[in-house]
Amino acid sequence: MTIQLYNTATRRKEVFEPLDPDNVRMYVCGPTVYDRAHLGNARPVLVFDVLFRLLRDVYGEDAVTYVRNFTDVDDKINATALARKEAGAEGTLEELIRERTEETIRWYHADMDELGALRPSIKGRVTNEAEPRATRYIDEMKEMIAELIEKGFAYVVAATIGHNSRAQYVFLDSERVPSHAFLSVDAFGNRDDGLAYGDLSGRTLEDMVAGSRGEVGEGKRNPMDSVLWKPSTIEQPGWESDWGFGRPGWHIECSAMSRKLLGRQFDIHGGGLDLLFPHHENERAQCRACDGEDASAQVWMHNEMLQVEGKKMSKSLGNFFTVRDLLDQHVPGDVIRFVMLSTHYRKPMDWTQKKRAEAEDTLHRWYHSLDRIGSQDLPVEVIEALKDDLNTPGAIAVLHKYYREGNLTALLGGMKLLGIPGPLESKWWQEVWAGDPHTDELHIWTARLLAARKEAMETKDFSAVDAMKASLTSAGVEVRMSKAGVELVPAAGFDPSKLEGLE
């Protein structure tokens, strides 16, 4: 079975055919590094981590390039750095901004590592280019803005002279007046060359206007026009340009970085559904305006949003939390990953305490059964599920089947393809269970129960077996007996101390 992926641009599931099978290229929009990643931020990381693993399995580790950026130019970052400076922190504002972004990137890496996400890499090499920072590609952004202006897809408006306006801006060159540069949506109208604006998101004119009102800029000709470049004040980071001292708008960042790192055309662009408009719409429009109608990604993929107990996650509802909040509450990263992958990426994902408990119980059982398994198989059924538009719940259903059948080598191989570690690699299992002396006791009791059952089969007297099962159950141990053997699984209420008194 070939890989099939749902393409937002065409609104259908299509057979995936990479432009170059020896260099399959994927770009995913990464975080703006102003604070800890919240749980919703983790969903695209895990969705596209599984796709990354699948592509590496099909095409080879050295044949896949995965780029995910860090946006480190943002007013929230600036505000945090300024607050630190005003509170007496040492260093220039620029140094404090860099300190904040480096701190947040370290947090991000630590949290995503806990969830089992692989670091992006270029043909098997983990490099800085695989996780580009916007501040290192300002020249590429300026070049692209200049192209858009030259081709009539963007325009420049000088900052207004007046009260609290241009007097605040930085002047490095008297001939370069601080200005805004805007992408012109009207320049894409009534075209027949594949450059129509709005095709990706499929939004109506009214929807697009509503979705663009939050972006403020002096001198916009159309409310849908987006900022490509904006002037900076002395309290904001900035770079010299043909439009004065300033900084780039958000939407130009990924266009310039994907173009530089992956080329004029590449295979897949991914991100959350909240990025579809206006961010991805603008990215695609900018690339195509510069490089033609087949530029940028051939396949656009978007994961649906996250809810908490059936409601949108928000601070006002008191259900907002970061990945680190959960980890600090001793929710294992393995469990977070399992819950996330249990829902198809194109459906809303609802985080609930019930799902969390069920996932923990499932992994608990699986890890216990795999405790002595040293080999693994790469199960075809799991691969086929993932090839069908990344059907992770279907893949997990296959894993449940393997567990019921006792096919443990296939279970372990399928888990690892999904990025769920085995018991030897699981930090949670190693810390909580593998180091528990009662683990060996359960193996001893397994041997005792096997011996008792063998004797009972010969004597037809199962009273000793039943008594032993009842005692183990009272200690919080689930007893599973089948033709294949006996398995003792510590349940959620397992009390190891009760094993000591068993006979």
Side-chain angles (χ1 to χ4, degrees):
M1 178 180 176
T2 56
I3 296 176
Q4 297 188 73
L5 300 173
Y6 184 86
N7 189 351
T8 304
T10 60
R11 293 164 184 77
R12 65 174 180 267
K13 192 158 62 174
E14 302 172 338
V15 173
F16 175 65
E17 297 180 354
L19 295 166
D20 178 3
D22 294 325
N23 187 18
V24 183
R25 289 159 289 169
M26 177 170 69
Y27 187 99
V28 174
C29 286
T32 300
V33 286
Y34 65 89
D35 207 345
R36 287 278 189 185
H38 60 69
L39 190 60
N41 299 143
R43 193 177 192 199
V45 173
L46 297 182
V47 166
F48 293 102
D49 180 67
V50 173
L51 180 56
F52 181 38
R53 291 169 184 270
L54 176 63
L55 293 173
R56 297 200 327 170
D57 179 74
V58 173
Y59 296 99
E61 182 177 333
D62 295 338
V64 180
T65 291
Y66 173 25
V67 173
R68 185 183 65 216
N69 72 292
F70 287 117
T71 292
D72 56 351
V73 182
D74 182 78
D75 288 344
K76 291 181 180 178
I77 300 172
N78 305 340
T80 299
L82 183 59
R84 288 183 174 184
K85 186 172 180 62
E86 292 174 344
E90 296 182 358
T92 65
L93 185 62
E94 183 180 38
E95 290 170 341
L96 291 173
I97 289 172
R98 185 163 54 250
E99 179 183 287
R100 178 60 172 175
T101 58
E102 292 298 327
E103 174 183 52
T104 309
I105 289 171
R106 287 195 301 272
W107 290 346
Y108 185 83
H109 277 148
D111 292 348
M112 297 308 115
D113 288 350
E114 290 277 359
L115 303 187
L118 299 173
R119 298 284 177 91
S121 62
I122 296 179
K123 303 193 77 171
R125 294 177 295 107
V126 177
T127 67
N128 289 335
E129 287 77 16
E131 292 187 292
R133 304 179 189 203
T135 51
R136 298 178 183 176
Y137 292 83
I138 299 297
D139 286 344
E140 286 77 9
M141 296 176 206
K142 292 192 291 185
E143 290 171 8
M144 198 166 194
I145 294 170
E147 284 185 55
L148 290 166
I149 294 170
E150 181 181 353
K151 293 182 177 182
F153 289 96
Y155 58 94
V156 178
V157 178
T160 304
I161 301 175
H163 178 64
N164 281 341
S165 182
R166 189 186 295 179
Q168 295 182 335
Y169 297 143
V170 177
F171 284 83
L172 297 183
D173 186 330
S174 59
E175 295 182 0
R176 293 181 176 177
V177 177
S179 303
H180 290 85
F182 295 105
L183 183 71
S184 175
V185 170
D186 291 336
F188 293 86
N190 300 318
R191 303 184 67 95
D192 57 4
D193 56 1
L195 293 177
Y197 187 86
D199 281 356
L200 179 62
S201 61
R203 295 205 173 199
T204 65
L205 178 63
E206 293 77 13
D207 288 340
M208 288 193 287
V209 171
S212 65
R213 284 175 182 160
E215 189 175 31
V216 177
E218 292 183 62
K220 275 190 180 186
R221 297 174 183 171
N222 185 317
M224 289 189 294
D225 294 348
S226 61
V227 175
L228 296 170
W229 191 263
K230 51 190 172 184
S232 291
T233 69
I234 196 65
E235 294 179 343
Q236 295 169 325
W239 293 262
E240 182 57 17
S241 76
D242 290 341
W243 319 287
F245 185 78
R247 60 201 192 282
W250 178 37
H251 305 310
I252 193 65
E253 292 180 13
C254 291
S255 294
M257 288 188 285
S258 64
R259 185 192 199 197
K260 173 69 175 180
L261 296 168
L262 300 181
R264 174 180 167 274
Q265 291 179 300
F266 55 97
D267 297 296
I268 300 168
H269 195 312
L273 190 62
D274 56 324
L275 300 181
L276 176 56
F277 184 86
H279 188 54
H280 286 172
E281 189 74 67
N282 285 6
E283 273 192 65
R284 186 172 184 253
Q286 289 157 179
C287 289
R288 292 188 165 203
C290 288
D291 296 324
E293 64 180 280
D294 58 351
S296 191
Q298 308 306 294
V299 178
W300 290 80
M301 296 179 64
H302 296 89
N303 63 272
E304 256 286 3
M305 307 311 294
L306 178 134
Q307 299 174 327
V308 175
E309 302 290 349
K311 298 179 181 179
K312 181 179 179 181
M313 187 170 69
S314 70
K315 292 181 179 179
S316 62
L317 293 175
N319 64 353
F320 179 93
F321 44 86
T322 67
V323 172
R324 181 52 51 179
D325 289 335
L326 287 180
L327 295 172
D328 288 346
Q329 294 166 18
H330 306 293
V331 181
D334 310 8
V335 170
I336 297 173
R337 185 181 187 99
F338 190 95
V339 173
M340 289 279 193
L341 299 184
S342 296
T343 300
H344 193 275
Y345 79 92
R346 287 198 289 116
K347 293 184 178 180
M349 198 271 129
D350 190 14
W351 174 273
T352 67
Q353 287 301 316
K354 180 181 179 182
K355 288 181 180 179
R356 171 224 166 149
E358 290 174 345
E360 189 165 340
D361 184 62
T362 295
L363 290 178
H364 187 185
R365 298 169 194 274
W366 289 2
Y367 285 167
H368 179 76
S369 67
L370 294 167
D371 194 45
R372 302 297 174 95
I373 301 298
S375 60
Q376 65 186 65
D377 296 327
L378 194 57
V380 173
E381 289 174 287
V382 174
I383 296 173
E384 294 302 300
L386 296 182
K387 284 183 175 180
D388 183 13
D389 194 27
L390 220 59
N391 185 3
T392 55
I396 289 175
V398 173
L399 297 185
H400 280 291
K401 184 190 76 167
Y402 291 152
Y403 176 70
R404 292 192 302 270
E405 295 172 347
N407 190 352
L408 299 184
T409 55
L411 172 63
L412 183 58
M415 286 168 58
K416 291 191 173 181
L417 183 59
L418 285 171
I420 301 169
L424 295 179
E425 295 83 15
S426 170
K427 180 180 176 181
W428 166 51
W429 183 258
Q430 290 298 311
E431 289 181 353
V432 179
W433 294 104
D436 192 323
H438 298 291
T439 299
D440 287 335
E441 288 188 41
L442 286 177
H443 287 296
I444 293 171
W445 279 103
T446 300
R448 289 181 181 178
L449 193 55
L450 276 170
R453 187 177 72 162
K454 181 179 179 182
E455 183 178 346
M457 294 291 289
E458 296 173 354
T459 64
K460 307 302 180 183
D461 180 4
F462 287 87
S463 58
V465 173
D466 292 339
M468 196 177 296
K469 286 172 59 178
S471 296
L472 288 166
T473 300
S474 69
V477 179
E478 181 180 347
V479 180
R480 298 181 180 181
M481 304 183 73
S482 65
K483 292 181 180 179
V486 171
E487 183 182 6
L488 302 183
V489 181
F494 175 50
D495 183 356
S497 65
K498 292 184 178 179
L499 290 175
E500 297 174 2
L502 297 184
E503 294 293 339

